[in-house]
Structures are given as structure tokens and as C-alpha cells.
Amino acid sequence: SASMDSGDELRAKFLEFPYVSGAQRNLMLELVSSVETRLGPSLQPCTLPPDIQHFGNPTGTASASLHLRPGLPSSQIDFTLGGWIHCKLPSGGALNITSLSAYLKPSTDAPHFLIELIRSSPTSLVLILDLTPRKDLIFYQDYLKTYYEDTQLDRHRQRLHMLPEVRAYSSPSLYIRAVVSPTAILVCIDIESGEETKMEEIIRDHVSPIAIEVLQFWIESCAGLERHVGEPEIAYLAERDRIIKNKTIEVDLGSSFPRMFGQEVADRVLGALKEYYNK
Amino acid sequence: SASMDSGDELRAKFLEFPYVSGAQRNLMLELVSSVETRLGPSLQPCTLPPDIQHFGNPTGTASASLHLRPGLPSSQIDFTLGGWIHCKLPSGGALNITSLSAYLKPSTDAPHFLIELIRSSPTSLVLILDLTPRKDLIFYQDYLKTYYEDTQLDRHRQRLHMLPEVRAYSSPSLYIRAVVSPTAILVCIDIESGEETKMEEIIRDHVSPIAIEVLQFWIESCAGLERHVGEPEIAYLAERDRIIKNKTIEVDLGSSFPRMFGQEVADRVLGALKEYYNK
């Protein structure tokens, strides 16, 4: 429709984070708001075509919003990508995913930011929260020390694991397991059926404070600090990032999107993102 | 004593794997036997000084054996390192560690082999079993595919996690978390107090078959196959391996050895290993 072509309305659609619980929506809005408040002046408006910013499947059982904002040429930020996906399941339930990632340019080697919340049933939530390393942590021991050891990033993961409802989550994708940092939070939160308020409490009282603190650290110490990276390293970072960006959407969307949205919509969305990543 | 200077007796001391349970000893002996049967002709006898092959602390509460066999110059094997550590704990219990690792030379980029069993109490066993990657798995996606995806190595980890006694183990060292592969088995096996036979069954029926199968795969497909690695890559692998070998003993032994064996013994043992690694 004509109204859906307006950037403001598409942005409002993205910020609805519909279908998810109040606590999950509040968390996503707070994260997006932190990024926009602190980094907004360095970001362009969303540049995706309207039919990539919001779309659904032909039968109306699946819908999604994507919001990609490129950094200004003068900024260290490559782009931020937020989104939500809703898909009714044949079982009667629904799959709901909300995510926010922020990539930096190869002019800095500081980690990228990533959060993803995957709710596949009322009783189960998968949380992925990480500052994704830009370099091989074995070859570059100082990088491991600077961003992950000296910062004591692991304390957030340890704190969350003290909850009895939290257990380690192993992604089925070996690529995802390999790309995240050793302090990555990859957990599954399971509650008893009928205790949905418990999940709300866990998201509000435990997941949210940690996610907000990690994002604050990323904004101040990763996006906000200038690093002096030499020419050969810029080329290395650019190539490694190219692999990360392409592989992440392949793994994240490539396998599930055709099933959820049909091949035509899936090809259009993945094609638009890949075109942007590789231009 | 004079008798302890004989290579045969030091080897016998190593193969005793004393203080550990029958099932753990049988597993270690089977792994060492597999390596010696299949790779023995490519290995030199242990070259460590006698007082590094077997040693204890002044008060007699801690003892250990180390057995390092370099590969012949014509072999792809850099060296194998087996060992056990026993240390009485102030609580009255004991800490017992048995391990076997096998490193390849930079003429191949195939993964190293590593197994470590850490028994800190009768009711708890930590198992680390992995084919350690030689390259950054993000930059070298084909490496991830060849050794970890196409081989379906993850099925062993998945099989073990089906046991209710098994849970994911997170090493306190971020380096250890970063160096292992995405299919690494890092688990803690917990049993109820008084059910020590249950632990024996789990080691015999579940841990052992998996460890033996992973080692067989490593012997045949990693140590046994020639890879054609170019000159610039040999330098990269040599440097990355140098970091891995030094950092692994630092993390593994550097922090605990002075506590267990006193500073003098710890310095002598770590010094001898570092000298060998960096010569």
C-alpha cells in the first residue's frame, strides 16, 4: 500500500516489535533507543527498499521487519541492523525472533555487537548476546586480553548461569559456535508451562540489565574509541568481516526464510542484504 | 634413585596411571596403546630428562609423570605428550588428572588431538576431548567444512549430552574456550555421592568408545594423510602452533603447578617443556 512506502511508517512498524511479550519488547526498544540516542548522529536513515523493510508470506502466517542504518562516511560504524520475525507454527504456537546487531568498519578492529532473542514456545527462550571478535583470538592474544579478559566480560555470562532456569545453548550451526567470543552468552531459558510471568521476570530483572550493560560497554569502548589500524590489517579485517556478514545471514536466514516466507520473498530479502553487504 | 633413571622404568611409571579408577586407567592405556601401535614407528623414545618424566613435591602429597615422544624428522607428527598428575587436597580428597595430546608439524594443517580427564572428587569428572583447529575457522571456512562439518564430528558431543549426568563445562580460561573447536567435548559429569560405579559405567560405556573413535579418526585422517601446505602457510602454522603449545602449558600447568609441587619443581618442569617447545 502507499502508506507502507513512507520511511517513518516503516520505522514505526519495526519499532512495534509485535507478537512478543512486554518484557521482550521493552528490552528491544531500550536497546534501539540507546543506539539511536548515542550513535544516531553517526547514522543514516534506513536505506533498504520498502519491501525489504516490511514483508510477509502470501498466506499471512509470517511477517517481518528489518531496519538497516548505514554509518556516515566519517563514522566508525559500518551499519546497524534491527529486526523482528513472526511465524505461526503448524503446531498452533508461533516462533518470534527479535534481534539487533551493529557492525564496525575495518578502520577499527573493535568487536561487533549482537543480540538475538528466539522464542519458539511460551516456555522457552534462546538468548544470544555477544561482542563478536574481529580477529583470530589465538594468533592475536593481546586482542583476547584487551576486549575479553581485562574487561571481565565473562561476569555477565556467569551471573546469568546462576539462575536455575538457564542452561548453555549449543547452536546447531558450527559457524555460529566458531564466530562468537569465549564470553558469548548462548543460553536457553526454560520455564514450567503456565509460569509465563516467570519468563517476564527473568527477561526484565536479569536479561535486560545485562544486555543493556553490554551494549553500553560496546557503545563507549568499541564504537566510541578510535583504534589505529594499519593498511594491511584493514584489508584483513575487511575480508574477515565480509565473510562474517554474508555467512551470518546465510545461516540465520538462508535456511529458515524459504520455509517461512516462500522462496520468492526469501530470495528478494537475502538478495537485498547480500547486495548491500558486498557493494 | 638410580633405578628411576632408566627409560623403561620411567615409561612403566607413566603407564601406571595410579590413583585413578579402573575405567579411567583402561581408557588411558587404550589411547596410549592405539597411538603407539599405529604411530610408534614414527616416534622417538621420550626425550625428557628423568626428573621431568617423574617428580613429586617435597612433602610427598603430589606426584606426576610426563611422557613426551618427538616425531621422527620424516614424520608429520611434532610430538605426543601423555601424563598424569596426582595431588592430595587439604579437604582430604585428591585431584587426579590424566591427559594425552598429539601435535602435528606445520607441514600439515590438520588438527591436533587432545584429551584430558580431570577428577576433582569421586562424584565429578571433567572431560575435554577435541581435535584442536590449526587455523582461524572464520577466515578459513573450507577448513571448518573439511574437518568439522563434513566429518560430522559433532555427533559424539551430541551423543554424550543425551546422558542426564552430563552438562556443558565452561573452562575458567578464555584461552581454552577460544582454542578448542566448535565440536569440542567440554563436559562435566556429575553423579550422586555413593554411586561411584555409575561413573565407572559412564567412562566405560560412553566416554571410552567416543574417545577411541575420535582418536582413530585423528590417527587415520589427520596424522595419516599428507596435506600439501605452501611455504607462507607453513610459517603461519608454525607461529600459531608455537602460541598454542606455550599458552596451553601456561594455562594448564603454570597456575596450578607451583601450588601443587612448589615453585622450584614447577619452574624446572615448565622450563624443560618450554625449552623443548621453543627450540
Side-chain angles (χ1 to χ4, degrees):
Chain A
S1 68
S3 70
M4 284 304 287
D5 284 9
S6 139
D8 281 349
E9 288 187 47
L10 286 163
R11 182 169 175 280
K13 200 85 196 153
F14 157 60
L15 291 174
E16 271 178 24
F17 290 107
Y19 305 105
V20 298
S21 74
Q24 185 169 343
R25 183 181 308 114
N26 287 344
L27 169 57
M28 292 308 302
L29 286 174
E30 186 148 355
L31 295 173
V32 171
S33 161
S34 282
V35 167
E36 303 212 327
T37 306
R38 302 285 302 277
L39 305 175
S42 310
L43 298 173
Q44 302 174 47
C46 182
T47 51
L48 293 174
D51 63 351
I52 308 296
Q53 289 193 50
H54 187 71
F55 52 90
N57 67 344
T59 58
T61 56
S63 57
S65 272
L66 293 177
H67 200 72
L68 187 152
R69 297 187 62 181
L72 290 174
S74 58
S75 155
Q76 288 198 127
I77 296 158
D78 187 358
F79 62 89
T80 65
L81 176 62
W84 56 261
I85 297 168
H86 165 74
C87 179
K88 285 196 172 55
L89 297 174
S91 61
L95 170 71
N96 283 295
I97 301 173
T98 61
S99 68
L100 178 66
S101 48
Y103 290 84
L104 296 175
K105 289 180 185 162
S107 54
T108 173
D109 63 2
H112 302 312
F113 173 83
L114 168 70
I115 186 169
E116 191 164 350
L117 293 108
I118 305 164
R119 191 86 181 255
S120 57
S121 85
T123 60
S124 173
L125 173 73
V126 167
L127 167 68
I128 300 174
L129 172 63
D130 192 34
L131 300 189
T132 311
R134 308 279 296 281
K135 293 176 169 182
D136 175 15
L137 297 178
I138 300 307
F139 209 88
Y140 299 96
Q141 289 283 314
D142 56 331
Y143 192 85
L144 180 66
K145 186 170 185 303
T146 302
Y147 286 109
Y148 302 99
E149 289 176 346
D150 293 350
T151 56
Q152 300 188 282
L153 258 182
D154 201 44
R155 70 186 188 282
H156 304 298
R157 200 190 56 81
Q158 291 172 20
R159 189 153 51 122
L160 207 53
H161 271 279
M162 289 168 74
L163 298 178
E165 294 85 359
V166 167
R167 61 186 166 88
Y169 169 73
S170 185
S171 168
S173 158
L174 300 190
Y175 162 76
I176 295 292
R177 295 187 211 165
V179 80
V180 294
S181 81
T183 60
I185 293 178
L186 282 134
V187 295
C188 190
I189 304 171
D190 294 303
I191 53 158
E192 300 287 323
S193 180
E195 294 207 322
E196 280 80 358
T197 56
K198 181 77 192 167
M199 186 70 92
E200 288 295 276
E201 282 169 29
I202 293 175
I203 296 175
R204 187 191 63 209
D205 299 339
H206 301 279
V207 173
S208 295
I210 289 174
I212 290 162
E213 196 175 334
V214 172
L215 178 61
Q216 291 292 353
F217 171 81
W218 181 83
I219 289 174
E220 280 160 33
S221 304
C222 298
L225 284 187
E226 297 228 355
R227 299 265 289 182
H228 298 286
V229 173
E231 275 303 330
E233 207 172 340
I234 288 179
Y236 163 79
L237 290 166
E239 174 59 13
R240 203 173 180 282
D241 283 347
R242 196 192 57 76
I243 297 169
I244 291 179
K245 289 182 277 190
N246 282 281
K247 193 79 193 169
T248 300
I249 56 160
E250 261 172 48
V251 168
D252 236 19
L253 314 180
S255 59
S256 57
F257 256 43
R259 235 180 10 244
M260 290 195 278
F261 295 97
Q263 197 65 51
E264 195 187 316
V265 175
D267 286 349
R268 191 179 73 216
V269 174
L270 263 76
L273 288 175
K274 288 214 160 192
E275 192 185 314
Y276 177 78
Y277 290 169
N278 298 293
K279 75 166 185 248
Chain B
S1 68
S3 70
M4 284 306 286
D5 283 10
S6 138
D8 281 351
E9 288 187 47
L10 286 162
R11 183 170 175 278
K13 203 84 196 151
F14 157 59
L15 292 174
E16 271 178 25
F17 291 108
Y19 305 105
V20 298
S21 74
Q24 187 169 340
R25 183 181 308 115
N26 288 344
L27 169 57
M28 292 309 301
L29 287 174
E30 185 148 356
L31 296 174
V32 171
S33 162
S34 283
V35 166
E36 302 213 326
T37 306
R38 301 285 303 277
L39 305 175
S42 309
L43 298 173
Q44 303 174 47
C46 183
T47 51
L48 294 174
D51 64 349
I52 307 298
Q53 288 193 50
H54 187 70
F55 52 90
N57 67 344
T59 58
T61 56
S63 57
S65 273
L66 292 177
H67 199 71
L68 187 152
R69 298 187 62 180
L72 290 173
S74 59
S75 154
Q76 287 200 125
I77 296 159
D78 188 358
F79 63 89
T80 65
L81 176 62
W84 57 261
I85 297 168
H86 165 74
C87 179
K88 287 197 171 54
L89 297 174
S91 61
L95 170 70
N96 283 295
I97 301 174
T98 60
S99 68
L100 177 66
S101 48
Y103 289 84
L104 296 175
K105 290 180 185 161
S107 53
T108 174
D109 63 1
H112 301 312
F113 173 83
L114 168 70
I115 186 168
E116 190 164 351
L117 293 107
I118 305 164
R119 192 86 180 256
S120 58
S121 87
T123 59
S124 173
L125 173 75
V126 166
L127 166 69
I128 300 174
L129 172 63
D130 192 34
L131 300 189
T132 311
R134 309 278 298 280
K135 294 175 167 181
D136 175 15
L137 297 177
I138 300 308
F139 210 88
Y140 300 96
Q141 289 283 313
D142 56 332
Y143 192 84
L144 180 66
K145 187 172 184 301
T146 301
Y147 285 109
Y148 302 98
E149 289 176 346
D150 293 350
T151 56
Q152 298 188 285
L153 259 182
D154 201 45
R155 70 186 188 282
H156 304 298
R157 199 190 58 81
Q158 289 172 21
R159 190 152 52 119
L160 208 54
H161 271 281
M162 290 168 73
L163 297 177
E165 294 85 0
V166 167
R167 61 187 167 87
Y169 169 74
S170 185
S171 168
S173 158
L174 300 190
Y175 162 77
I176 295 291
R177 295 186 211 166
V179 79
V180 295
S181 81
T183 60
I185 294 177
L186 283 134
V187 296
C188 189
I189 304 171
D190 294 303
I191 53 159
E192 299 289 323
S193 179
E195 292 207 324
E196 282 78 359
T197 56
K198 181 76 194 168
M199 187 69 93
E200 288 295 277
E201 283 169 30
I202 292 175
I203 296 175
R204 188 189 62 210
D205 299 339
H206 300 280
V207 173
S208 295
I210 288 174
I212 290 162
E213 196 174 334
V214 171
L215 178 61
Q216 292 293 354
F217 171 80
W218 181 82
I219 290 173
E220 281 160 33
S221 305
C222 298
L225 284 187
E226 298 227 355
R227 298 264 291 181
H228 300 284
V229 172
E231 276 303 330
E233 208 172 341
I234 288 179
Y236 164 78
L237 291 166
E239 173 59 13
R240 202 173 181 282
D241 284 347
R242 195 192 58 75
I243 297 169
I244 291 179
K245 288 183 278 189
N246 282 282
K247 194 81 193 167
T248 299
I249 56 161
E250 261 173 49
V251 169
D252 237 17
L253 314 180
S255 59
S256 56
F257 256 44
R259 239 184 3 248
M260 291 195 277
F261 295 98
Q263 197 65 51
E264 196 187 316
V265 175
D267 286 348
R268 192 177 74 218
V269 174
L270 263 77
L273 288 175
K274 288 215 163 192
E275 193 186 315
Y276 177 79
Y277 290 169
N278 298 294
K279 75 166 183 244

